[in-house]
Amino acid sequence: MIHGHVTAWALALILFIVALLLQSGGKAKGAKIVQMILRVLYLLIIATGVGLLFMVSNISVMYILKAVVGLWIIGLFEMILSRAANKRRTSVFWIQFIIAWALVLYLGFVELPMSILYVK
Ligand code: HEM
């Protein structure tokens, strides 16, 4: 489950960058297709994340925070892509993006116990 989760968000991050590159290269149609696949990955990220939550017997506030920050990142993927497509300013969202990623990586890898490093 955790491997599925990590694979899903790692792939989503790559596709997000690909979609941005396609957009900035003027390939709007290609970017749209990649964005569709990205949206399927959101569902996988959420499904595996909720699956992981079900494996936890005592859900602490850290888990809630982890889930909220995960959803925040998904929202930012969408916001940045749609604003960039419409040539609107994205700087505020990029700042949030950096903060949210720092938080989610800290919570996921350091603060919370499950890990791809030792859970099969
Ligand atoms: C793009 C969004 C997301 C990112 C980048 C992300 C990132 C991570 C990372 C880095 C880990 C730790 C993996 C490890 O230690 O090997 C993790 C674990 C986890 N994630 Fe996510 N996540 C996201 C979305 C979500 C969502 C939406 C939920 C809940 C609905 C969620 C719930 C969890 C849970 C419960 C764990 C296990 C925590 C533990 O016990 O260590 N995640 N995630």
Side-chain angles (χ1 to χ4, degrees), residues 2 5-6 9 45-46 49-50 52-53 56 63 66-67 70-71 73-74 77 101 104-105 108-109 112-117:
I2 192 127
H5 189 63
V6 173
W9 63 250
I45 295 171
I46 295 171
V50 170
L52 285 167
L53 283 176
V56 182
Y63 275 102
K66 167 70 192 54
L71 293 172
I73 290 181
I74 292 175
F77 279 155
W101 271 96
V104 96
L105 292 177
F109 281 126
L112 294 170
M114 278 186 257
S115 175
I116 46 166
L117 304 176

Side-chain angles (χ1 to χ4, degrees), residues 10-69:
L11 214 63
L13 182 61
I14 293 167
L15 289 187
F16 169 69
I17 294 164
V18 171
L20 276 179
L21 290 176
L22 285 171
Q23 264 183 16
S24 63
K27 301 196 168 58
K29 196 164 178 215
K32 269 266 168 293
I33 295 168
V34 173
Q35 206 176 351
M36 294 297 229
I37 306 170
L38 191 56
R39 286 182 181 143
V40 177
L41 282 174
Y42 298 157
L43 297 180
L44 277 179
I45 295 171
I46 295 171
T48 50
V50 170
L52 285 167
L53 283 176
F54 272 104
M55 290 163 67
V56 182
S57 48
N58 224 336
I59 293 183
S60 64
V61 68
M62 286 301 175
Y63 275 102
I64 307 292
L65 197 62
K66 167 70 192 54
V68 169
V69 179

